[in-house]
Amino acid sequence: MHIPHPLIRISGTALPVMASVAMAACSGMTRQEKNTAIGAGVGAIGGAILTGGSTTGTVGGAAVGGVIGHEVDKK
């Protein structure tokens, strides 16, 4: 029996859930708020992958991604 790597299992579950939440939540958001949310989501996934699924890496990635997303397209 083949057991998938935990990161693959996390990514396979997190991506569809995040996409659903993002589409529902972004309807009343400004462009900057959307960029912040998207950056945080991408950062969380990246942090989880880079640190082997650690909570600290996931939260840190979300924070860094959120800041970067917030600054994109800023006038």
Side-chain angles (χ1 to χ4, degrees):
M1 183 171 140
H2 174 67
I3 299 173
H5 192 276
L7 291 178
I8 295 171
R9 193 172 54 229
I10 290 169
S11 300
T13 304
L15 289 174
V17 170
M18 281 184 41
S20 300
V21 170
M23 290 186 337
C26 289
S27 62
M29 297 172 96
T30 67
R31 183 174 181 89
Q32 189 173 23
E33 291 170 336
K34 289 178 188 178
N35 288 342
T36 302
I38 292 168
V42 170
I45 292 171
I49 290 171
L50 291 174
T51 62
S54 85
T55 303
T56 304
T58 304
V59 172
V64 171
V67 169
I68 292 170
H70 184 266
E71 297 301 314
V72 171
D73 290 337
K74 196 171 184 182
K75 293 181 180 180

